[in-house]
């Protein structure tokens, strides 16, 4: 073999080595980044964890449940603290989700915030969103358990600040506004305008869009549909390529503004149990009732027959008997 051929082979090997080294370096960098993101997400989930004073089991449960095996419930609470100066606050949005891993089905019930219910910690009836004033999340959870006669196994709270930060971090969300309206911002009271048709919303706008109800002819029911739209739009943005580089920042906002008693291992169990989940297996339930005024204060008075029907559906979905 002549020298010229040897030189060419050595040159090719050198180029190949450089390409392999570059490829390995890229893998290390990418692996390090996603390792860092995973750590941040784990750290955020850890800082979000907050066990209830009652412990890990509802008083309506005979024994603790296993999320990968047993049906369970989650209470989602949107907490508003601005009107109270950051103290106390109100449960501005309440959604109960019952989840059955066997049938891979979910039932969602949104509770109108003005619903007139018994608040155990107060010892009398009041609006359900005021239950948070009498003992925070513990009081609201007990109030919902009393109302529906089902165990609330897990909870998750998110405050307005966290909601806005997460929406801004993912670059906003796209929605389809059902009609023209305006709503005041949660800070400063300025008017934010929404026009029928497609709109791109930042965090402040998305919160106002999700909260508005007085100008909606469907009231709380219309508001619930808009909240679902915001959730779906948020999920779509979070999984987009452009937000991969922001996952650590998103995780930080989650850790700072969300509380839950769902452990990381349990969350992973839920994810595993619902691989291949069909969204058509989500059933939305609604409480019916009538408008009522007591001492010139508005309440939503629940229909007792319809309430019993909802209770039975949720209890059956949870395989729970009382």
């Amino acid at each position: 073999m002549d020298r010229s051929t040897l030189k060419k082979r050595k040159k090719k090997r050198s180029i190949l080595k450089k390409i392999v080294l570059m490829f390995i370096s890229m893998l290390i960098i990418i692996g390090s980044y996603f390792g860092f993101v995973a750590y941040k997400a784990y750290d955020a989930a850890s800082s979000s964890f907050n066990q209830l004073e009652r412990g890990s089991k509802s008083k309506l449960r005979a024994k603790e449940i296993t999320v990968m095996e047993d049906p369970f419930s989650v209470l989602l609470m949107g907490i508003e603290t601005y009107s109270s100066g950051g103290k106390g606050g109100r449960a501005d949005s309440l959604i109960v989700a019952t989840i059955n891993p066997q049938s891979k089905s979910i039932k969602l019930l949104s509770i109108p915030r003005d619903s007139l219910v018994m608040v155990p910690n107060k010892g009398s009836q009041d609006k359900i969103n005021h239950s948070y004033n009498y003992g925070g999340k513990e009081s609201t959870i007990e109030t919902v358990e009393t109302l529906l006669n089902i165990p609330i196994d897990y909870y998750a709270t998110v405050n307005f600040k966290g909601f806005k930060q997460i929406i801004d971090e993912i670059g906003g969300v796209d929605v389809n506004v059902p009609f023209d309206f305006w709503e005041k911002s949660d800070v400063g009271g300025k008017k934010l305008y929404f026009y029928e048709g497609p709109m791109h919303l930042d965090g402040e706008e998305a919160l106002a869009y999700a909260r508005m109800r007085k100008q909606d002819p469907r009231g709380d029911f219309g508001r619930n549909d808009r909240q679902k739209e915001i959730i779906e739009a948020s999920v779509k943005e979070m999984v987009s390529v452009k937000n991969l580089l922001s996952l650590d920042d998103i995780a930080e906002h989650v850790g700072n503004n969300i509380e839950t008693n769902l452990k990381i291992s349990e969350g992973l169990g839920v994810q595993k149990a619902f691989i291949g989940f069909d969204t058509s297996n989500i059933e939305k339930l609604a409480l019916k009732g009538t408008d009522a005024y007591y001492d010139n204060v508005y309440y939503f008075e629940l229909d007792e027959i319809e309430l019993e029907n909802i209770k039975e559906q949720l209890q059956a979905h949870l395989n729970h008997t009382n």
Side-chain angles (χ1 to χ4, degrees):
M1 187 180 299
D2 58 32
R3 291 183 178 180
S4 176
T5 303
L6 283 172
K7 284 183 179 180
K8 286 180 180 180
R9 286 191 177 183
K10 285 182 179 179
K11 188 175 182 180
K12 286 182 180 179
R13 288 174 185 170
S14 178
I15 292 172
L16 182 60
K17 284 181 180 179
K18 288 179 180 179
I19 292 173
V20 171
L21 285 172
M22 186 181 297
F23 181 69
I24 292 172
S25 297
M26 288 176 63
L27 286 179
I28 291 172
I29 292 170
I30 293 170
S32 297
Y33 169 71
F34 283 105
F36 172 72
V37 170
Y39 167 76
K40 290 278 286 192
Y42 182 91
D43 188 55
S46 297
S47 62
S48 294
F49 181 78
N50 193 327
Q51 186 60 275
L52 294 167
E53 291 179 7
R54 72 177 191 192
S56 57
K57 182 179 72 67
S58 166
K59 64 183 179 181
L60 298 181
R61 290 283 191 191
K63 61 179 182 179
E64 290 189 29
I65 57 106
T66 303
V67 294
M68 288 182 65
E69 301 172 6
D70 305 316
F72 62 96
S73 63
V74 182
L75 176 61
L76 307 174
M77 294 178 270
I79 306 302
E80 184 270 315
T81 59
Y82 289 114
S83 62
S84 60
K87 299 178 181 179
R90 297 179 300 185
D92 191 67
S93 177
L94 292 171
I95 299 175
V96 175
T98 58
I99 302 168
N100 192 310
Q102 284 80 42
S103 61
K104 288 194 175 181
S105 59
I106 296 174
K107 291 185 185 293
L108 293 178
L109 173 68
S110 186
I111 305 175
R113 66 178 194 174
D114 293 323
S115 298
L116 182 60
V117 301
M118 170 59 68
V119 179
N121 276 22
K122 182 182 179 183
S124 62
Q125 290 187 314
D126 202 342
K127 293 184 179 184
I128 195 165
N129 70 327
H130 290 174
S131 62
Y132 197 83
N133 291 333
Y134 299 96
K137 56 183 178 288
E138 308 266 356
S139 174
T140 299
I141 290 169
E142 186 176 7
T143 299
V144 173
E145 287 188 330
T146 301
L147 173 67
L148 300 176
N149 200 21
I150 62 169
I152 296 298
D153 300 302
Y154 300 101
Y155 79 91
T157 68
V158 59
N159 58 43
F160 287 178
K161 180 181 177 182
F163 177 90
K164 293 188 296 183
Q165 285 181 341
I166 291 170
I167 295 296
D168 285 336
E169 195 65 59
I170 63 177
V173 291
D174 294 316
V175 299
N176 191 27
V177 182
F179 51 84
D180 293 354
F181 68 90
W182 62 266
E183 176 67 10
K184 288 184 178 180
S185 169
D186 61 306
V187 179
K190 68 178 179 180
K191 290 183 179 180
L192 300 175
Y193 292 88
F194 302 88
Y195 303 97
E196 183 176 353
M199 279 190 71
H200 184 78
L201 310 180
D202 63 17
E204 182 182 24
E205 293 166 335
L207 179 60
Y209 182 75
R211 292 186 68 207
M212 189 281 289
R213 68 191 179 100
K214 291 184 178 180
Q215 298 179 62
D216 194 316
R218 297 175 60 228
D220 264 336
F221 300 103
R223 186 177 79 145
N224 293 342
D225 285 345
R226 281 179 278 109
Q227 289 176 348
K228 180 175 178 291
E229 183 183 17
I230 290 290
I231 291 171
E232 291 175 342
S234 299
V235 171
K236 182 179 179 180
E237 288 298 327
M238 283 183 182
V239 298
S240 65
V241 174
K242 70 182 178 68
N243 277 311
L244 286 177
L245 298 176
S246 300
L247 288 178
D248 55 331
D249 293 323
I250 294 170
E252 184 176 349
H253 292 315
V254 169
N256 291 336
N257 297 286
I258 290 179
E259 283 188 1
T260 182
N261 64 335
L262 186 69
K263 297 176 183 177
I264 299 171
S265 57
E266 292 171 325
L268 293 173
V270 173
Q271 183 185 35
K272 182 179 179 181
F274 277 78
I275 290 176
F277 175 68
D278 185 350
T279 54
S280 65
N281 288 330
I282 297 178
E283 182 182 2
K284 291 176 288 184
L285 306 177
L287 289 166
K288 297 181 181 179
T290 55
D291 298 337
Y293 288 87
Y294 298 105
D295 296 327
N296 295 319
V297 177
Y298 170 77
Y299 297 92
F300 184 69
E301 200 157 41
L302 299 173
D303 183 297
E304 289 297 329
I305 296 176
E306 291 294 334
L307 176 59
E308 286 302 316
N309 179 41
I310 293 291
K311 287 181 182 180
E312 290 174 5
Q313 290 187 61
L314 296 179
Q315 288 167 0
H317 196 230
L318 290 171
N319 297 337
H320 182 75
T321 56
N322 294 293

